[in-house]
Amino acid sequence: MKTIVEVKNLVKRFPIGAGSFTALRNVNLEFGEGEFAGLVGPSGSGKTTLLNIIGSLDIPSEGEVVVLSKSIGKLTPKQAAQLRKEELGFIFQSYNLLPVYTVFENVEFPLLLLDMTAEERKKRVMETLEWVGLTDKVKSRPAQLSGGECQRVAIARAMVKRPNLVLADEPTANLDSKNSHNILQTMEKINKELKTSFIFATHDEKVIGYLKRIIRLQDGNVVEDKVIS
Ligand SMILES: Nc1ncnc2c1ncn2[C@@H]1O[C@H](COP(=O)(O)OP(=O)(O)O)[C@@H](O)[C@H]1O
Ligand SMILES: [Mg+2]
């Protein structure tokens, strides 16, 4: 299996007053192509911090994180933005949809940064909305959708570029049980059919039930890393 993420001796400290708080302590991990893995642990254990560094939204204090052959700490802000724009998909707890845009426009948005014609974009957007079962809502705006539907739009927006890696931080936090299972099944299908790798940060048992690999964090340490067969 090709390695797509390598975390080596990663330490992350946040400055607090005159001192600092250590959120990640010497973390070592590798992720291969096609993983459906989760960073799991109680609130404050470092899940989001690690996911943000893998997503080039933050940088290591010590050690190295290599994502798709790029060393996160060594990228200029412009190179980091390029990596996010071209290779990564993000799904957040709060959906982060643009309220004045339609479903179609929200999903099309990441493609506007790429070199594609309007026709190519439309085809891609509609194909992606079909996966998440929202082709009948293209003209709706986020306020007209349920939480589950909003999160499916967010999944489509993350997937529309066909990224190699999708990072999902507590994607079910605002969803009821039925919608949670629904979006997890959608992501599972994308993982199987497109071989897209997913890394979750979650403490939701429903999400954990779908994971093929569970990486347990506690106080900034990896305390368990197990593959589910
Ligand atoms: N920007 C920051 N400044 C200071 N402390 C932070 C910052 N971000 C996170 N932390 C601290 O790091 C720890 C881990 O946070 P986080 O990664 O968000 O945990 P989790 O996602 O597992 O709930 C927490 O104690 C949190 O308060
Ligand atoms: Mg978090």
Side-chain angles (χ1 to χ4, degrees):
M1 203 184 346
K2 198 177 134 203
T3 300
I4 57 169
V5 176
E6 245 188 301
V7 179
K8 290 182 277 191
N9 304 319
L10 171 64
V11 175
K12 181 63 183 179
R13 282 184 291 266
F14 292 111
I16 294 191
S20 69
F21 175 83
T22 306
L24 295 171
R25 304 162 189 273
N26 199 38
V27 172
N28 287 281
L29 286 169
E30 276 188 27
F31 295 92
E33 246 172 3
E35 293 230 35
F36 205 71
L39 309 170
V40 167
S43 177
S45 55
K47 306 182 295 294
T48 294
T49 303
L50 179 51
L51 206 67
N52 284 349
I53 296 173
I54 294 172
S56 79
L57 297 168
D58 206 347
I59 54 168
S61 305
E62 280 176 36
E64 194 179 25
V65 175
V66 181
V67 177
L68 300 164
S69 309
K70 291 168 190 85
S71 182
I72 295 301
K74 295 184 185 136
L75 300 177
T76 63
K78 202 174 160 189
Q79 289 168 325
Q82 183 96 354
L83 173 69
R84 292 193 295 271
K85 175 175 98 176
E86 290 175 358
E87 320 236 38
L88 306 179
F90 291 89
I91 300 169
F92 301 96
Q93 153 177 355
S94 48
Y95 323 132
N96 293 357
L97 302 178
L98 298 163
V100 299
Y101 281 17
T102 63
V103 166
F104 183 93
E105 290 162 344
N106 267 283
V107 176
E108 184 188 35
F109 192 73
L111 299 183
L112 297 175
L113 304 165
L114 306 179
D115 188 23
M116 288 175 86
T117 67
E119 203 175 322
E120 286 167 338
R121 287 198 302 270
K122 183 172 182 198
K123 185 164 173 278
R124 182 72 75 81
V125 170
M126 292 311 292
E127 196 180 284
T128 312
L129 283 171
E130 203 165 311
W131 284 335
V132 300
L134 280 179
T135 45
D136 55 336
K137 302 279 185 189
V138 278
K139 294 200 174 102
S140 301
R141 289 172 211 279
Q144 300 168 304
L145 302 176
S146 70
E149 288 168 338
C150 284
Q151 194 58 303
R152 280 191 277 151
V153 177
I155 295 170
R157 185 190 49 192
M159 288 307 305
V160 75
K161 298 171 294 184
R162 306 288 181 272
N164 287 308
L165 174 60
V166 173
L167 305 171
D169 195 351
E170 308 280 5
T172 55
N174 290 323
L175 301 181
D176 60 28
S177 175
K178 181 163 168 266
N179 275 310
S180 297
H181 286 292
N182 196 309
I183 68 130
L184 283 158
Q185 282 157 12
T186 301
M187 291 193 269
E188 198 176 44
K189 183 180 84 176
I190 290 166
N191 170 254
K192 276 201 191 113
E193 290 179 10
L194 296 182
K195 310 276 175 263
T196 310
S197 307
F198 282 79
I199 305 177
F200 294 85
T202 188
H203 60 271
D204 181 351
E205 287 301 329
K206 293 189 290 299
V207 178
I208 296 169
Y210 284 82
L211 299 175
K212 305 220 170 55
R213 177 180 173 195
I214 296 176
I215 295 152
R216 214 168 279 281
L217 292 180
Q218 203 176 303
D219 297 329
N221 293 297
V222 174
V223 292
E224 186 181 25
D225 183 354
K226 74 175 174 200
V227 174
I228 312 297
S229 51

